[in-house]
Amino acid sequence: MNAISIVIGAICILVIGYRLYGYFFTKKVLKINEKEPTPAHQLKDGKDYVPTNKWVAFGHHFAAIAAAGPLVGPVLAAQFGYLPGLLWLLIGAVIGGAVHDAVVLFASMRRKGKSLSEVMKEELGPVAGFCTGLAMLFIITITMAGLSLVVLGALERNPWGTFAVAITIPIAILVGIAYKKTGNLLVTSAVGFILLMIGVFLGPSLQGTWLGDLLTLERDTLALILPIYAFFAAALPVWLLLAPRDYLSSFMKIGVFVALIIGVFIVNPVIQFPAVIPDFLGGGGPVVAGPVWPFVSITIACGAISGFHAFVGSGTTPKMLNRWEDIRVVGFGAMLVESLVGVMALIAATSLHPGDYFAINSAPAVFATLGMDTVNLGMLADQIGMDLEGRTGGAVTLAVGMTYIFTGVPWFADMSSYFYQFVIMFEAVFILTAIDAGTRVARYLIQDFVGEIYKPLKKTDWMPGAIFASALACFMWGYLLYSGDISSVWALFGVSNQLMASIGLVCGATIILKIADRRIYVLTCIIPLVYLYVTVNVAGIWMVKNVYWNSQAGGYSILNGVLSIIMLILGLIIVVTAIRKWKDLWNSKRYVNGVAVNTRV
């Protein structure tokens, strides 16, 4: 199988999905129109509610949702072969992920940009609202820890990469201030991008200097720095750091993957993995312990459908959209672009020889038991200038796979180390942008919950409340980050993330039954919901039984097992409550023979 065939097929499916299904869903099912101003105009405050250019909003939203999931998830799922991950990325994104993102964004904007928990409270009652809020708090905490673990693996003892990532913070602040002062998006974006490139090319000069030694950080040190950084990112105004860095990094990310697509067309690498790897389909693999189903849909946590998107879609983004029509581009479209990113990540991983792939993604002792030999890994390690074996977590594999594809270009060999570090930088930056947005959303959730006891905390613009909530959010996920590892936390993240997506689809199905012209339109949410909810529960129970509460397993953790059980119970309560509501809506007088006679929203 050649990579070009996969790329062309994927692009065609996603473009057709956006043009036909995206238009149908937003126009016919959601019935978006421009009769009312968006929350960004109604509640404009210059801090959280800010009418934003469509493409800047797209950049922010895409950067916030496209974190480690589409980069790392497909790489880890390559353990099963290229076909299971590819099918889930394409089918799941069009039928599930894009629908989920658009409907959650729409639901939040209808409620003035409120969080999903507040929307669920108003749509399904206080019990569902409370359970959703509690589930969101659990899930966002686990998500931030899971995403951050990938950054630790990429930046540990890597001063070049650490410098390139750190320099994006002052650059983004400068871009944010310049854009606010001048309003010139093109010039400020160009300057910001040039400065980012300078940061990457300055990296080698750090070797052997005091700054290089200072930035050579161990895992535990990075695990303390990341929550501290996230605290400031969550408390600062959205226009100062969050939006400009998301915008800059999103176009950098798209640019890298466009370059990868071009490289695939030039080199046309062979996919060296088989369609499926039978030895690991039933479980027991060195990268993902569980069987191909349900774990291909759990491991690829964001590339096809993701509950984390519900945090962004009911957190920062609904407060930024300038027009209702922007939902199609920002909500539906960004998810499909993310799916393509996932496809390219899968191609990068599976273009490696399986022996090289498993040598990177397995501990040396585990790899020795697989009976495989490395093929090109030694050559790649020499070109990149780093030892690559046993660097688990997926981020390094993606960077190595992309570098390997470009080695097919004759003049590229001398640039390998720069390109590898550039990929590490943009992986880390994108994960950090998700951490920025996720921590801010966690701050909103904490303010909602604690605000029931102390009313001033409900005000998102009250600085003491923002500081308290941001600090508490960072402490919670920082603890999991400091004490966890990728094998235990990533699966927990995957289960919780897809449970959150199920809750988002529950919300969407409820709203569609209230507003749709035809009752059958609810199937746009029900079909992906049924698959995802069953998948989540099977995976969650499997992990609790075989890993978290199995003292012989490597990921043994009583806390993770307890968290899994609590989340599954909360999900069950929400689904049961929703089914009762759906029954009333389905049989309501609003519908006659399945067609609405009262179409007022």
Side-chain angles (χ1 to χ4, degrees):
M1 171 67 75
N2 290 325
I4 286 180
S5 303
I6 295 177
V7 173
I8 293 175
I11 292 174
C12 290
I13 290 170
L14 296 174
V15 169
I16 292 170
Y18 176 80
R19 183 64 185 89
L20 298 181
Y21 196 50
Y23 185 88
F24 164 77
F25 184 72
T26 54
K27 275 293 188 183
K28 298 294 184 181
V29 179
L30 299 183
K31 301 189 299 184
I32 59 175
N33 59 66
E34 302 297 331
K35 292 182 179 179
E36 295 182 4
T38 64
H41 288 283
Q42 289 178 315
L43 303 173
K44 183 178 179 180
D45 61 7
K47 187 172 184 290
D48 292 314
Y49 290 86
V50 181
T52 306
N53 176 280
K54 174 172 63 176
W55 297 112
V56 175
F58 175 91
H60 153 72
H61 185 81
F62 176 72
I65 66 173
L71 299 176
V72 174
V75 172
L76 301 179
Q79 171 192 273
F80 302 116
Y82 72 82
L83 187 59
L86 180 63
L87 291 176
W88 173 238
L89 281 165
L90 296 177
I91 297 172
V94 175
I95 303 300
V99 167
H100 168 274
D101 290 10
V103 79
V104 169
L105 183 54
F106 174 78
S108 179
M109 290 177 68
R110 287 180 78 238
R111 300 293 182 180
K112 312 302 181 188
K114 290 182 179 179
S115 69
L116 185 60
S117 62
E118 291 293 314
V119 174
M120 290 287 278
K121 183 187 299 183
E122 296 183 16
E123 298 291 346
L124 290 173
V127 173
F130 175 80
C131 290
T132 300
L134 192 57
M136 289 176 73
L137 196 53
F138 273 111
I139 291 166
I140 197 67
T141 300
I142 295 166
T143 298
M144 294 301 97
L147 297 180
S148 299
L149 276 167
V150 179
V151 177
L152 301 191
L155 299 185
E156 183 180 6
R157 298 188 303 278
N158 183 2
W160 186 350
T162 301
F163 173 78
V165 171
I167 201 68
T168 65
I169 298 172
I171 291 173
I173 292 175
L174 288 174
V175 168
I177 294 172
Y179 177 55
K180 193 172 182 65
K181 294 288 186 182
T182 66
N184 192 322
L185 183 62
L186 180 61
V187 173
T188 54
S189 299
V191 172
F193 183 76
I194 291 170
L195 291 175
L196 288 178
M197 295 304 99
I198 292 173
V200 174
F201 280 91
L202 285 176
S205 63
L206 298 177
Q207 304 293 338
T209 68
W210 67 269
L211 183 57
D213 294 339
L214 182 66
L215 295 176
T216 304
L217 303 174
E218 298 297 327
R219 179 192 180 281
D220 289 348
T221 305
L222 287 165
L224 293 175
I225 290 174
L226 286 179
I228 294 172
Y229 155 76
F231 165 77
F232 289 101
L236 289 172
V238 68
W239 62 265
L240 183 60
L241 175 60
L242 186 65
R245 195 171 76 163
D246 287 359
Y247 173 73
L248 283 174
S249 57
S250 68
F251 284 96
M252 180 177 69
K253 186 173 188 177
I254 292 173
V256 169
F257 277 93
V258 168
L260 179 58
I261 292 172
I262 295 172
V264 166
F265 276 87
I266 294 174
V267 179
N268 192 18
V270 175
I271 301 300
Q272 301 198 56
F273 271 54
V276 295
I277 300 179
D279 291 348
F280 302 138
L281 293 182
V287 182
V288 179
V292 63
W293 186 83
F295 282 94
V296 71
S297 298
I298 297 300
T299 304
I300 302 179
C302 299
I305 183 170
S306 169
F308 176 72
H309 299 188
F311 293 97
V312 182
S314 68
T316 53
T317 303
K319 301 176 179 66
M320 297 170 65
L321 291 199
N322 188 45
R323 301 171 65 241
W324 288 92
E325 289 284 347
D326 294 347
I327 289 175
R328 187 181 306 115
V329 173
V330 176
F332 205 96
M335 178 65 244
L336 298 186
V337 175
E338 181 178 1
S339 174
L340 182 60
V341 170
V343 170
M344 298 311 299
L346 181 66
I347 288 173
T350 54
S351 66
L352 293 172
H353 189 278
D356 296 340
Y357 168 88
F358 285 106
I360 298 172
N361 279 284
S362 309
V366 175
F367 179 70
T369 66
L370 299 180
M372 297 181 179
D373 295 318
T374 61
V375 177
N376 300 308
L377 196 60
M379 176 268 292
L380 288 167
D382 290 340
Q383 288 183 342
I384 292 169
M386 289 182 62
D387 179 22
L388 300 173
E389 293 185 10
R391 287 184 173 264
T392 60
V396 170
T397 306
L398 175 60
V400 172
M402 292 178 67
T403 304
Y404 175 69
I405 288 175
F406 279 97
T407 56
V409 179
W411 53 266
F412 184 80
D414 293 337
M415 298 292 293
S416 295
S417 59
Y418 290 94
F419 185 75
Y420 173 85
Q421 293 295 350
F422 177 75
V423 175
I424 289 294
M425 180 193 75
F426 98 82
E427 287 183 273
V429 166
F430 266 83
I431 294 168
L432 290 178
T433 56
I435 292 170
D436 295 350
T439 304
R440 184 176 287 266
V441 172
R443 173 196 132 195
Y444 294 149
L445 286 171
I446 291 171
Q447 288 185 263
D448 279 341
F449 265 90
V450 185
E452 296 295 332
I453 301 172
Y454 186 61
K455 296 299 182 184
L457 272 174
K458 284 276 188 180
K459 300 177 182 178
T460 58
D461 59 350
W462 186 49
M463 186 56 67
I467 292 174
F468 165 77
S470 298
L472 182 57
C474 292
F475 173 79
M476 290 191 300
W477 68 257
Y479 173 78
L480 280 178
L481 172 65
Y482 192 81
S483 60
D485 61 78
I486 190 70
S487 61
S488 62
V489 175
W490 188 265
L492 181 64
F493 158 59
V495 170
S496 63
N497 183 62
Q498 304 301 57
L499 178 63
M500 190 68 243
S502 300
I503 295 172
L505 289 169
V506 166
C507 177
T510 306
I511 289 174
I512 289 172
L513 279 173
K514 287 185 175 182
I515 69 170
D517 291 337
R518 294 181 178 274
R519 192 168 53 186
I520 199 171
Y521 287 168
V522 74
L523 291 179
T524 56
C525 285
I526 292 295
I527 290 174
L529 170 61
V530 170
Y531 171 80
L532 201 61
Y533 186 66
V534 172
T535 298
V536 162
N537 279 272
V538 172
I541 293 169
W542 192 96
M543 287 298 297
V544 171
K545 179 181 177 182
N546 294 283
V547 179
Y548 298 142
W549 288 356
N550 177 7
S551 59
Q552 305 302 313
Y556 175 70
S557 170
I558 295 295
L559 175 61
N560 287 352
V562 171
L563 290 175
S564 298
I565 294 297
I566 291 174
M567 288 186 298
L568 294 179
I569 291 173
L570 290 172
L572 179 62
I573 294 172
I574 292 168
V575 168
V576 170
T577 304
I579 290 174
R580 292 176 178 173
K581 181 70 173 180
W582 296 342
K583 183 178 179 182
D584 293 338
L585 292 171
W586 186 269
N587 296 319
S588 69
K589 294 181 179 180
R590 181 175 182 271
Y591 291 106
V592 176
N593 296 325
V595 179
V597 294
N598 178 9
T599 59
R600 289 189 304 168
V601 177

